[in-house]
Amino acid sequence: FNLLPARMILEDPLYASAFVANLGSVGIAGAYHHLYEYGTIPIFVVVGAYRRVAVAEEDGRIVAKRMATLKYTYDERVEDGFYCARAVSRMKELIEHPERLA
């Protein structure tokens, strides 16, 4: 509700719509982030380290692809399961097909 003075929350990273932590940059495979009572963030996303994964192509070939794990933590007081599932599905689609962003 913006009850605090703007200068107290303007540069505070815990007052945002979502928080993304790249733990892959320090070699961690992926982890769930805890929620905070402080701030306004209802969604935490953690990016894990890249790894090689065997993937079957549409033509049946098995290829090694570079992949990272994304893990999400939601505050159930804010996020509804149905809309979260749709948002994650849409995000997956856009990550896999970035040309659809245009």
Side-chain angles (χ1 to χ4, degrees), residues 35-37 41-43 73-80:
L35 297 171
Y36 289 98
E37 291 294 326
I41 300 174
I43 302 170
T73 307
Y74 300 100
D75 186 338
E76 74 282 352
R77 296 170 294 179
V78 178
E79 298 299 323
D80 176 87

Side-chain angles (χ1 to χ4, degrees), residues 21-99:
N22 183 3
L23 295 184
S25 66
V26 292
I28 297 175
Y32 291 103
H33 200 287
H34 59 89
L35 297 171
Y36 289 98
E37 291 294 326
Y38 173 78
T40 59
I41 300 174
I43 302 170
F44 280 83
V45 182
V46 175
V47 181
Y50 281 102
R51 66 195 187 291
R52 297 298 240 176
V53 176
V55 177
E57 294 287 317
E58 287 185 21
D59 62 4
R61 291 180 302 120
I62 304 296
V63 297
K65 290 197 174 183
R66 207 170 151 231
M67 293 189 171
T69 301
L70 298 179
K71 294 200 176 184
Y72 304 87
T73 307
Y74 300 100
D75 186 338
E76 74 282 352
R77 296 170 294 179
V78 178
E79 298 299 323
D80 176 87
F82 174 75
Y83 293 107
C84 278
R86 291 200 51 198
V88 168
S89 177
R90 178 70 173 144
M91 187 166 151
K92 178 182 183 292
E93 176 188 340
L94 294 172
I95 289 171
E96 292 176 351
H97 303 281
E99 69 278 3

